[in-house]
Amino acid sequence: MGKINFTADEASILKAYKLSSQNPTKWEEIDHDLEDPFSDLLTSQSNDGDGDPLGLGGVIDLTSLDTESKMSVLISSKSFDPKAFLSAVHPNATYQDLAAGINHLQSSIDARSEAVRVLVEDNFDRFVAVKASTDALYAEMRDGLLSDKAEFASRPLVDYLKRSAVKANQVFLPVLENSAKAQKLRTTLGVFERSKFFFSLPGFLVESIEAGRYEAALRQYNKGKFLLDSRPGQLLPIEAGANTGSSTAQQKRILDKVWVNVEKVMGEMKALLLARLQDPGRSVEEMERGIEILLELNVPEDPIWTYFDSQHKRIMDRMSAAYRTGVSNIDATKSRTTPELSSPNALRQILAAQLQVCIVALESKTPEVVIAQAGGHEVWQATWDMVKIISEVMVSSLPNFWKIARSFLEGKFKRPSSSRRSASQCRQMALDIIKLYINFLSEFFILSDVLSNSPTPNSPEHLPSHSNSLTTAHWLTKILSEVQDCVTEIGALELGEGGLVKGLVESMRWRFEDVLVRSWLRDANCMYALESFAPDLSTPSTTLYLAKLESFMRHLATSAFKIAGGVSTDSGSGVLRVTQQNTVPPAFTSKITRAFLDAIYAVLDGFVVLVAEEAPPGVGSIVAAGVPEREGKQELIDLRDSNTRLLLVISNFSQLSGSLIPSMLSQLENALGISVDDDRKTLMKAVTALDKTLFDGYVKPKAAAVAVILREGILDKDMDWYETLQPTEIRPYMYKALMGLVEIHAQISRVAENLLERGMYALVENVAQDALISFKQVKRFGMGGMLRATLEIEFMHQTLARYVSPSAAKTLSELYNKISQAYARRPGDENLQGNLDSVKRTLAESRRATGIEFMCFRAAKERSGKGKKEKEKDEVRERGKEGQRG
């Protein structure tokens, strides 16, 4: 098998790759079929049989020659060069060789010419035939196809060509035009591709602004501006070879047109950012970024002062609008909800009904829910809403305002060119907002300094007049808490307000204490209306009124303590709120103490109303309607009787002076950290005096009624104490007097058993004193009179022995002495012992006969005790001996 030849000639390679040289310097595509030199080269290379035309035996080696050299060496090429041939093929040939070569070349030419001649001779007839045929064809064509009419056969062709051209124009001209447009568009797109960033800059800016990416928009804007100013050729290149002047102008016109759109978009962004500076719903970070961007864009307006002016005006306007709207709403609510007072006692009845519900609610788990919804709560709610809205406006806006203002004071957000406005003006703007807040609250609540000597102003006209003190305390505490929270947040800003907000809180506390004290004292004067005389099962012989009174006083004192700042709650919510107790300033301590004592005095005055001859309005109806059926003793109590109410009041007074008031005063001292010993003594003196007055108001009339019976019996005109016979019975007047005491005893036992001993002791003392006075009016006693007087007084003494106090015993002893001294002995009075025994029997019989009627006067252990008869005998014997000695 022969060897495979992998050698490739140069012409084949150049034809295959459409190159003109094996060492090209630029991209090219050459069609060798249309190029003559390369055609000759290929043709000559196809004639491999051609040897040396000079016959010198030289070999033509074309592998080492380039294309042009090959074309000049090949004898078949149109650009054949003999000199180049000789220098390339026969560079070493001698003259003789060349001469011989010429001869050989001439012989070759002659041989070729002879061959041609022989060829012509051999084919002459053919040439003649061809000539005749050609002439005939020419003649025919001259008459037909090549005639003058046909313009040598070109007219039909021209017509065809014209029609073809028209058709081609119809068909291909739009295609060519579109192709030209496409080429132009490709060229334009090529330019745009190279300047893609700049031409798409307006659209990118719009997208960034719509998405809120203002920093990205600013970066792209600055980049475009830098390229436009320093490298416009990079944005829009100028084609090489084009007219520089016109291209530059066109470039500038295009760039300016694009930049106008960019500036228009950036102008919209500036306007948007300036508008955002006036938008209250933006965060501090957004505002700061907006200001920084506007400063970098160098807008005509100073963005920081645009922010300050707009936000300051907006906050002030919002607070003013909230205040005006709130006050109008409060007044409208008050006008709608204030009840009409048809009588002087109407307000007292309304307050009493409210207090009744609220004080009962204090014992529940959620008292604030009921208290907050009592009378006037609509106005209080509107007031709290007004304060809350104003506070929220300031708290939601001022911290952001001050944060940017503080950054500005620290040197941030300042323009390169100095502003005529002082940086400290932004601090004054913040203080103006705080002052407006203070002015609104001061105007509404009529605030004053704590230590002001000005007279206490009236209650704010906007507050409800028919709201009870517990509801008032609840809402005042809630409003104060709202203001305190607001002030705490403002104080944390460190504005350097010079104690404005702290003074506001103190003034609010002072004013709210005034409002609460007024309501407290007003309701204290109405508290008696809550007395339903329902018994307190936990404390016998007292009513539930005392528990209500204690709850009332404790709750209001605690509320006053909280308002004064005695209890503070740290910021937080839920379980995170920590309550701590603080020291109350002396001014507040004095006000609370005075209010507490005044309220107690007012409550004490209300006790007097309860014991009036007629039941106070509401008392009887409350009892009758609220407790129609009672269990035990209370069912028998007739509350329409002033004496019944008086006993209950006196019983309550005992509990009040003995336990309740001292306990409340001790709690007040512990809470306020003060001592009220002097006030305690004064108060207890007043309580004691009033208790004595009320007690005497019950005892004196009862004792006087019994005294009348005794006086009528002792000083009876039909009774002759000197001539009367020895007594065989006790006269009825004594039974009547003792039965009167039985009735009194029964009433006290039924109403206030704890007052029984005190009342009976006092009655017995009064009865004994009245008996002494009556017997002093008797000038003398006979034996019978002396024994009768002794019998009757002894009967009363023994019957009431349980309630004979030392003072009453002394009075009775004086009475016995008076009878003994007034005894006038007469003849026949010697049988004293026998008379005494008779009196003793009469006394014993009377005691036995009235044992059941007067059993209430006996002590439990004495009612069935032994030695009773012996005791009675000894007492009668002693009385008789005293009469005998007299």
Side-chain angles (χ1 to χ4, degrees):
M1 182 177 179
K3 296 182 179 179
I4 300 175
N5 186 11
F6 292 99
T7 303
D9 58 277
E10 181 182 1
S12 299
I13 294 175
L14 296 178
K15 182 178 180 182
Y17 291 100
K18 298 182 180 182
L19 299 175
S20 62
S21 171
Q22 290 185 354
N23 300 310
T25 59
K26 62 179 181 178
W27 178 265
E28 58 185 4
E29 291 185 6
I30 298 176
D31 188 356
H32 294 286
D33 295 334
L34 301 176
E35 299 290 339
D36 290 339
F38 292 100
S39 301
D40 296 340
L41 176 61
L42 296 174
T43 303
S44 63
Q45 289 183 355
S46 64
N47 298 330
D48 295 335
D50 294 341
D52 183 10
L54 296 181
L56 297 179
V59 178
I60 302 175
D61 187 7
L62 300 178
T63 59
S64 60
L65 299 178
D66 57 14
T67 304
E68 293 182 1
S69 299
K70 290 179 182 179
M71 299 299 293
S72 62
V73 169
L74 292 174
I75 60 176
S76 60
S77 174
K78 295 180 181 180
S79 59
F80 174 76
D81 187 359
K83 295 179 180 179
F85 176 81
L86 291 176
S87 62
V89 179
H90 302 289
N92 299 320
T94 64
Y95 176 78
Q96 290 80 8
D97 293 335
L98 293 177
I102 291 174
N103 293 331
H104 181 274
L105 178 61
Q106 185 64 44
S107 299
S108 297
I109 294 173
D110 291 341
R112 288 179 179 271
S113 298
E114 181 63 23
V116 171
R117 185 181 63 79
V118 172
L119 177 64
V120 172
E121 289 178 356
D122 293 341
N123 297 282
F124 182 77
D125 54 342
R126 294 181 180 179
F127 283 107
V128 173
V130 168
K131 176 69 169 64
S133 299
T134 301
D135 291 341
L137 178 61
Y138 177 72
E140 183 180 352
M141 292 177 65
R142 287 287 299 174
D143 294 338
L145 182 63
L146 300 178
S147 63
D148 294 335
K149 289 183 178 181
E151 296 181 359
F152 304 100
S154 62
R155 175 174 290 180
L157 181 59
V158 170
D159 292 340
Y160 286 132
L161 291 176
K162 286 181 178 180
R163 288 196 295 270
S164 299
V166 173
K167 192 67 174 177
N169 288 336
Q170 293 177 354
V171 175
F172 295 104
L173 188 59
V175 176
L176 295 176
E177 290 178 353
N178 291 336
S179 176
K181 291 180 181 179
Q183 183 63 30
K184 189 175 181 180
L185 182 59
R186 281 193 293 270
T187 304
T188 304
L189 289 176
V191 174
F192 284 166
E193 186 65 27
R194 292 192 297 272
S195 305
K196 181 178 180 180
F197 164 75
F198 188 76
F199 287 106
S200 61
L201 183 58
F204 178 81
L205 293 177
V206 171
E207 293 177 0
S208 299
I209 294 172
E210 291 177 350
R213 301 192 299 269
Y214 303 105
E215 295 87 349
L218 179 62
R219 287 195 301 270
Q220 297 300 320
Y221 171 76
N222 290 335
K223 179 180 177 182
K225 187 175 183 181
F226 171 76
L227 293 176
L228 180 66
D229 294 340
S230 60
R231 300 176 185 178
Q234 183 176 344
L235 295 175
L236 189 62
I238 299 176
E239 296 182 2
N243 188 346
T244 305
S246 61
S247 298
T248 303
Q250 183 179 9
Q251 179 196 55
K252 186 177 185 302
R253 185 170 60 255
I254 295 173
L255 295 178
D256 289 344
K257 186 174 182 180
V258 175
W259 195 249
V260 166
N261 293 330
V262 171
E263 290 292 352
K264 181 179 179 181
V265 174
M266 293 305 294
E268 295 176 355
M269 189 180 86
K270 293 175 185 178
L272 177 61
L273 290 176
L274 287 173
R276 284 165 63 91
L277 292 180
Q278 305 176 30
D279 187 358
R282 304 294 176 181
S283 64
V284 176
E285 291 74 15
E286 291 184 35
M287 293 294 187
E288 290 180 342
R289 289 200 301 268
I291 294 172
E292 291 173 349
I293 292 172
L294 290 172
L295 287 173
E296 191 169 347
L297 291 174
N298 196 23
V299 296
E301 305 88 350
D302 192 342
I304 188 65
W305 286 110
T306 299
Y307 170 79
F308 286 148
D309 292 338
S310 61
Q311 293 296 324
H312 175 261
K313 183 178 184 302
R314 184 190 62 80
I315 296 172
M316 301 282 279
D317 291 344
R318 286 184 62 194
M319 289 176 63
S320 300
Y323 176 73
R324 290 192 298 269
T325 303
V327 172
S328 300
N329 185 35
I330 292 169
D331 292 340
T333 304
K334 182 179 179 181
S335 176
R336 185 180 67 254
T337 59
T338 300
E340 296 183 1
L341 304 179
S342 58
S343 64
N345 294 327
L347 179 60
R348 184 179 62 192
Q349 295 174 358
I350 293 173
L351 294 174
Q354 294 180 18
L355 289 172
Q356 181 74 23
V357 175
C358 292
I359 292 176
V360 171
L362 290 176
E363 303 300 327
S364 64
K365 295 182 179 179
T366 56
E368 300 298 331
V369 176
V370 177
I371 293 175
Q373 297 297 319
H377 73 275
E378 301 91 348
V379 180
W380 283 117
Q381 181 70 50
T383 304
W384 181 77
D385 290 341
M386 184 267 292
V387 174
K388 182 177 178 63
I389 291 173
I390 298 176
S391 301
E392 286 180 348
V393 169
M394 186 171 67
V395 170
S396 64
S397 305
L398 186 57
N400 294 346
F401 181 92
W402 177 243
K403 185 175 182 180
I404 295 179
R406 184 165 54 189
S407 300
F408 180 62
L409 291 173
E410 293 172 355
K412 196 176 179 182
F413 309 128
K414 289 190 176 180
R415 297 172 69 100
S417 58
S418 59
S419 175
R420 291 179 295 176
R421 302 178 70 171
S422 173
S424 61
Q425 187 176 351
C426 62
R427 183 190 300 274
Q428 187 59 43
M429 288 181 173
L431 294 179
D432 290 342
I433 295 172
I434 296 176
K435 289 178 181 178
L436 182 64
Y437 178 76
I438 295 174
N439 290 338
F440 284 151
L441 295 182
S442 299
E443 177 183 341
F444 186 86
F445 292 108
I446 318 177
L447 302 183
S448 62
D449 294 336
V450 175
L451 300 179
S452 175
N453 295 325
S454 59
T456 303
N458 295 326
S459 296
E461 60 179 351
H462 304 289
L463 300 183
S465 59
H466 63 290
S467 179
N468 68 85
S469 54
L470 276 69
T471 302
T472 299
H474 167 81
W475 285 104
L476 289 178
T477 304
K478 191 172 181 179
I479 293 172
L480 183 62
S481 177
E482 180 66 33
V483 176
Q484 179 68 51
D485 291 343
C486 176
V487 167
T488 300
E489 294 191 31
I490 298 303
L493 299 178
E494 298 179 357
L495 282 166
E497 73 283 358
L500 284 175
V501 292
K502 183 178 180 182
L504 170 65
V505 174
E506 292 301 316
S507 298
M508 291 282 287
R509 294 187 188 280
W510 187 254
R511 188 71 186 97
F512 282 9
E513 288 288 358
D514 286 337
V515 175
L516 178 60
V517 166
R518 288 176 182 272
S519 179
W520 189 356
L521 296 180
R522 179 201 61 190
D523 289 358
N525 284 290
C526 302
M527 275 297 292
Y528 69 87
L530 272 66
E531 176 60 280
S532 62
F533 296 102
D536 186 353
L537 301 180
S538 61
T539 306
S541 302
T542 60
T543 65
L544 292 175
Y545 176 67
L546 294 183
K548 296 178 182 178
L549 176 61
E550 182 182 13
S551 298
F552 172 78
M553 295 296 293
R554 181 176 61 250
H555 184 80
L556 290 180
T558 302
S559 299
F561 182 70
K562 291 180 180 179
I563 292 174
V567 176
S568 62
T569 304
D570 295 339
S571 299
S573 60
V575 296
L576 299 179
R577 295 180 71 88
V578 180
T579 302
Q580 60 182 3
Q581 186 167 340
N582 304 319
T583 302
V584 178
F588 287 93
T589 301
S590 177
K591 182 184 285 289
I592 295 173
T593 304
R594 178 50 50 198
F596 186 86
L597 294 173
D598 290 345
I600 291 180
Y601 284 119
V603 170
L604 296 179
D605 292 340
F607 279 106
V608 178
V609 180
L610 294 174
V611 298
E613 288 297 328
E614 295 182 0
V619 170
S621 59
I622 291 176
V623 173
V627 193
E629 295 182 2
R630 291 190 173 92
E631 297 180 359
K633 295 181 179 180
Q634 196 68 11
E635 294 181 359
L636 305 176
I637 295 177
D638 182 10
L639 296 178
R640 293 170 297 181
D641 185 0
S642 61
N643 289 324
T644 301
R645 298 195 302 273
L646 179 57
L647 285 174
L648 289 173
V649 170
I650 297 171
S651 179
N652 285 341
F653 249 81
S654 299
Q655 180 69 15
L656 195 67
S657 60
S659 174
L660 193 57
I661 290 180
S663 174
M664 290 192 297
L665 290 176
S666 298
Q667 293 177 22
L668 182 68
E669 289 176 331
N670 294 334
L672 300 180
I674 59 173
S675 175
V676 293
D677 289 341
D678 294 339
D679 293 323
R680 185 196 300 269
K681 293 177 182 178
T682 304
L683 177 60
M684 295 312 297
K685 287 181 181 179
V687 172
T688 302
L690 184 57
D691 176 71
K692 185 178 183 305
T693 301
L694 293 175
F695 184 75
D696 290 345
Y698 178 79
V699 172
K700 294 294 185 182
K702 299 295 184 182
V706 176
V708 169
I709 298 173
L710 291 177
R711 187 166 51 252
E712 291 178 352
I714 295 171
L715 301 179
D716 187 2
K717 61 181 180 178
D718 296 332
M719 180 62 188
D720 186 354
W721 289 100
Y722 183 74
E723 298 295 339
T724 186
L725 301 176
Q726 181 179 346
T728 58
E729 60 179 0
I730 298 175
R731 290 185 298 163
Y733 83 94
M734 183 57 66
Y735 293 113
K736 184 177 180 182
L738 291 176
M739 288 304 297
L741 292 177
V742 169
E743 293 178 359
I744 298 172
H745 183 283
Q747 185 180 43
I748 298 176
S749 299
R750 186 171 60 251
V751 177
E753 193 172 0
N754 62 324
L755 297 178
L756 185 59
E757 290 190 359
R758 180 186 176 189
M760 293 305 298
Y761 278 127
L763 284 170
V764 171
E765 289 178 3
N766 282 275
V767 168
Q769 189 66 36
D770 290 335
L772 175 60
I773 294 173
S774 297
F775 276 111
K776 281 184 178 181
Q777 298 181 27
V778 178
K779 302 301 182 180
R780 59 181 181 174
F781 293 91
M783 173 63 73
M786 182 270 294
L787 293 176
R788 182 176 291 279
T790 302
L791 174 62
E792 293 176 350
I793 296 302
E794 185 63 22
F795 178 77
M796 181 182 72
H797 189 179
Q798 291 186 13
T799 302
L800 301 175
R802 179 184 173 185
Y803 300 107
V804 176
S805 64
S807 176
K810 182 180 179 181
T811 302
L812 290 174
S813 177
E814 185 180 350
L815 176 57
Y816 291 134
N817 292 334
K818 174 64 179 70
I819 294 173
S820 299
Q821 293 171 4
Y823 171 57
R825 184 183 296 271
R826 292 186 301 179
D829 292 346
E830 291 78 7
N831 191 15
L832 179 59
Q833 186 61 43
N835 294 332
L836 289 175
D837 291 339
S838 177
V839 169
K840 177 188 66 175
R841 288 192 299 270
T842 303
L843 176 62
E845 293 173 357
S846 299
R847 290 276 290 158
R848 284 194 300 270
T850 59
I852 297 177
E853 288 85 346
F854 302 137
M855 184 177 292
C856 61
F857 296 136
R858 297 181 183 180
K861 62 181 180 179
E862 293 180 357
R863 292 175 185 176
S864 60
K866 297 180 179 179
K868 183 176 178 182
K869 295 181 179 180
E870 289 76 5
K871 182 179 179 181
E872 292 176 353
K873 292 178 180 179
D874 294 339
E875 290 177 352
V876 173
R877 190 178 297 111
E878 289 296 326
R879 304 291 185 271
K881 291 180 179 179
E882 290 177 0
Q884 188 176 8
R885 285 193 298 268

